[in-house]
Amino acid sequence: MNRDGARKSVWQQEIKSFAADSYTSRVFDVAIVGGGITGVTTAYNLQKAGKNCVLLDAANIGFGTSGGTTAHLNDFFDTTFGEAISDHGEENARLFKECGRDAMRIIETNVRENAIDCDFEKKSAHLFALDDKQVRQLEDMVKGARNVGHEMNYIDEISFPIPFKKAVEIPNQGQFHPVKYIRALCESFLQSGGVIVEGCVCQDHEETDEQVALSTSGGMVIANHVVYATHTPPGINKLHFMIAPYRSYVMAFTLKDRLYPKELGYDLEDPYHYYRTHEIDGEKLLIAGGEDHKTGQAEDTGERFSKLENYVRAYFDVDQVKYSWSSQYYEPVDGFPYIGVLPGSAGRIFTATGFRGNGMMLGTLSATIIADLILTGSSKYENLFSPSRIKPIAGFADFVKEQTAVAVDFIKDKLFAERVASMAEIGAGEAKVVKHEGEIFAVYKEVSGRLHVLKSTCPHAKCEVRWNGAEISWDCPCHGSRFNVNGRMLTGPSVSGLTRVEKD
Ligand SMILES: Cc1cc2nc3c(=O)[nH]c(=O)nc-3n(C[C@H](O)[C@H](O)[C@H](O)COP(=O)(O)OP(=O)(O)OC[C@H]3O[C@@H](n4cnc5c(N)ncnc54)[C@H](O)[C@@H]3O)c2cc1C
């Protein structure tokens, strides 16, 4: 397995291993933790600027969300420009608009300068409203966009066979193959002297006036600066209370009529569906996503695929389902990402997270912001995206209420774990959190009858994990840590796995 789930994503065959050099005996200028688009682009930028960098990943390059994304490249975001104006003011919303353009320019330059073969294409995006409520939403979006000078044009036809009430076209968007792109940046990073270490979990850091010492599963790594491109940093940080983990579901289909849409597409449902096409091994695919929910909050994650498939079949002439997978993203409390100095750090440790469904662009931009902060001490986006900003907004109370509900749920989980007298009560192919002789366990029984028994408490903040049948994993609803059935850590912020218990 080389992605953080049991299902194979459409990009996954391109993930390859990078052999590690020695890395514990030297002092690096910068240690970048996390080998997704954010970490890889940051490492690439800094090495190119003459810094000596090490890029560390707990598993392998592309293991996280960058290997499970859909890689639409948009210069408009899940946080609309209208929302940005009302929550952050018009001047900040204008700067927010610029970051999409900057990110697109950076990706285009990287593709061109490195001659990256990653199926990069410029496309338009079609946004369509399916009912009156969505029409009002779309009109608000267009108004907000016009107020900050972002182009959205009303159109009468869309390139999707979906009945709609109103639609807009947004020019100059794009798409690419995310893993081919980051793999090429890794190769360029290595050629300019960078070091990549895979299978290396960063567990903790100690910051002094001169350096940062990173404790990792491979030994101590010393660097002048550290960048956590891991969504959430290891340990307990203020940031964990400002972002919430969500999962989104994606399927790739062949179509009998071969009428593959030319543009990128989005409806305005909540959660919204998103569409694009890509050719894999000479075969054209319609890629559709949606059915998002908060991590650990879906009773039956497998059912999300059935719902998505039924939805797509209702409009498209589906032939076969070729791929289906899910992945995780992070919602920030005030709609803007957190990019900059990690809260609690004296200035040597950086973070980049809270990208919503726009991390290809915001991860790319983070790399420039953080490189600028390390190289020059400032960035034009420094204040806008500062992780230490305090921005009480209307939605804050709801966000806190939602997070509190998760905490209450997790206490209930502890109280109401199902009591079983013996593991024999668990059916084949079933997974349950159970109480047995006063202790709580996460138990999965394979169809063959083989039992996997783990302690069910997440090592990070002691919440109880929940079953994710779609990806055969145990997911923590509090901060999004995930584990496979053997207890191995798939997703942080936990830095260790669930304790495996010998079966009876
Ligand atoms: C289904 C889905 C579709 C999406 N579609 C789009 C889209 O169309 N366009 C768009 O712009 N965005 C999209 N996004 C969002 C985007 O994919 C992500 O925001 C982006 O990939 C995040 O990249 P990253 O590098 O920050 O994190 P990741 O790619 O998740 O990389 C983090 C890495 O950190 C490593 N790591 C974690 N903890 C540690 C540790 N303690 N020590 C060492 N390593 C560690 C992990 O192994 C992982 O490889 C989508 C998200 C989802 C879930």
Side-chain angles (χ1 to χ4, degrees):
M1 181 174 24
N2 51 15
R3 198 181 66 82
D4 62 1
R7 289 167 181 264
K8 198 163 183 261
S9 90
V10 77
W11 322 116
Q12 212 167 329
Q13 65 185 7
E14 298 293 337
I15 296 172
K16 68 165 225 180
S17 295
F18 290 91
D21 274 348
S22 71
Y23 59 96
T24 48
S25 50
R26 22 188 305 211
V27 176
F28 291 93
D29 292 324
V30 190
I32 298 103
V33 187
I37 192 164
T38 309
V40 168
T41 318
T42 308
Y44 167 84
N45 285 349
L46 286 165
Q47 189 72 31
K48 213 172 71 169
K51 296 285 179 190
N52 285 313
C53 300
V54 62
L55 174 60
L56 309 158
D57 196 283
N60 52 260
I61 299 298
F63 186 77
T65 313
S66 300
T69 185
T70 49
H72 301 222
L73 305 175
N74 300 122
D75 69 1
F76 62 97
F77 302 104
D78 289 359
T79 299
T80 66
F81 294 116
E83 287 162 350
I85 292 169
S86 72
D87 288 341
H88 299 270
E90 191 161 322
E91 200 181 322
N92 286 328
R94 282 182 182 276
L95 192 52
F96 186 47
K97 179 210 66 182
E98 272 183 49
C99 76
R101 306 257 161 98
D102 281 353
M104 189 71 87
R105 240 188 326 265
I106 296 164
I107 291 175
E108 285 191 84
T109 306
N110 286 344
V111 169
R112 195 179 53 248
E113 285 184 352
N114 296 283
I116 301 178
D117 174 13
C118 62
D119 314 326
F120 175 81
E121 273 182 84
K122 286 305 268 293
K123 296 216 161 184
S124 291
H126 288 174
L127 244 70
F128 38 94
L130 307 181
D131 58 31
D132 291 339
K133 187 171 162 233
Q134 292 178 31
V135 167
R136 286 192 293 280
Q137 226 178 304
L138 185 66
E139 287 167 352
D140 284 349
M141 284 175 83
V142 172
K143 196 168 145 214
R146 287 187 178 156
N147 283 341
V148 298
H150 187 276
E151 189 180 349
M152 290 189 185
N153 304 311
Y154 285 109
I155 47 172
D156 297 326
E157 281 181 25
I158 59 173
S159 76
F160 298 84
I162 300 175
F164 67 99
K165 290 212 147 188
K166 206 160 188 177
V168 292
E169 181 168 80
I170 309 168
N172 293 317
Q173 309 303 298
Q175 65 174 46
F176 66 3
H177 187 306
V179 175
K180 284 186 182 175
Y181 174 76
I182 60 175
R183 202 183 64 188
L185 291 188
C186 281
E187 275 154 11
S188 172
F189 169 71
L190 288 175
Q191 273 162 19
S192 49
V195 177
I196 296 179
V197 186
E198 296 184 318
C200 177
V201 183
C202 292
Q203 294 146 337
D204 204 356
H205 57 252
E206 200 175 317
E207 184 178 7
T208 64
D209 287 346
E210 286 85 36
Q211 283 173 331
V212 185
L214 273 181
S215 312
T216 80
S217 55
M220 195 69 87
V221 175
I222 309 288
N224 294 329
H225 292 98
V226 164
V227 180
Y228 282 120
T230 52
H231 298 287
T232 54
I236 302 283
N237 190 280
K238 177 184 156 192
L239 212 53
H240 292 123
F241 304 98
M242 292 149 62
I243 52 174
Y246 279 73
R247 297 199 64 77
S248 190
Y249 294 76
V250 188
M251 300 181 89
F253 306 88
T254 50
L255 301 181
K256 283 188 212 144
D257 59 12
R258 304 200 52 76
L259 294 174
Y260 292 92
K262 283 203 304 289
E263 320 296 356
L264 305 168
Y266 313 82
D267 64 27
L268 294 176
E269 305 256 39
D270 184 18
Y272 65 89
H273 297 97
Y274 44 102
Y275 306 92
R276 61 167 286 192
T277 57
H278 204 96
E279 201 169 298
I280 298 286
D281 293 335
E283 186 168 54
K284 192 103 173 220
L285 298 170
L286 168 73
I287 300 174
E291 295 298 328
D292 307 17
H293 63 82
K294 198 155 189 214
T295 298
Q297 303 273 306
E299 279 289 312
D300 180 352
T301 47
E303 197 191 9
R304 301 281 164 155
F305 286 115
S306 316
K307 281 191 175 166
L308 181 59
E309 182 176 345
N310 290 340
Y311 190 86
V312 173
R313 280 186 186 276
Y315 299 113
F316 293 87
D317 190 14
V318 168
D319 185 9
Q320 287 180 50
V321 176
K322 291 286 184 169
Y323 296 83
S324 60
W325 73 95
S326 66
S327 194
Q328 193 152 297
Y329 64 94
Y330 294 78
E331 287 281 329
V333 63
D334 64 7
F336 278 3
Y338 298 105
I339 306 165
V341 174
L342 181 72
S345 160
R348 291 187 176 273
I349 307 176
F350 296 84
T351 188
T353 187
F355 299 148
R356 308 192 74 181
N358 309 115
M360 293 290 106
M361 302 298 271
L362 295 173
T364 298
L365 188 78
S366 302
T368 296
I369 296 174
I370 292 173
D372 284 348
L373 290 173
I374 290 175
L375 297 169
T376 70
S378 70
S379 155
K380 71 173 178 181
Y381 295 110
E382 189 177 345
N383 294 329
L384 190 69
F385 297 143
S386 165
S388 299
R389 68 180 179 267
I390 299 169
K391 187 83 191 67
I393 56 150
F396 185 71
D398 288 343
F399 190 88
V400 170
K401 224 191 286 165
E402 225 182 285
Q403 289 297 80
T404 312
V406 170
V408 170
D409 276 2
F410 115 74
I411 293 165
K412 277 201 214 135
D413 283 354
K414 278 197 194 301
L415 291 177
F416 298 116
E418 199 169 323
R419 277 174 203 283
V420 292
S422 141
M423 295 300 170
E425 288 181 29
I426 314 246
E430 244 188 335
K432 278 186 176 171
V433 176
V434 298
K435 222 175 216 171
H436 183 62
E437 296 176 357
E439 282 201 76
I440 310 177
F441 301 99
V443 183
Y444 171 61
K445 192 183 267 184
E446 288 181 22
V447 180
S448 67
R450 186 168 171 230
L451 268 181
H452 298 271
V453 185
L454 308 168
K455 292 270 181 73
S456 62
T457 305
C458 174
H460 175 243
K462 312 294 175 216
C463 299
E464 296 300 306
V465 293
R466 292 180 184 171
W467 181 239
N468 175 350
E471 295 288 355
I472 316 290
S473 64
W474 293 102
D475 297 0
C476 181
C478 288
H479 305 106
S481 296
R482 298 178 51 250
F483 309 88
N484 75 6
V485 292
N486 293 310
R488 182 189 158 200
M489 176 196 119
L490 295 173
T491 310
S494 181
V495 292
S496 55
L498 295 178
T499 310
R500 200 175 161 87
V501 179
E502 286 312 311
K503 56 186 190 278
D504 58 4

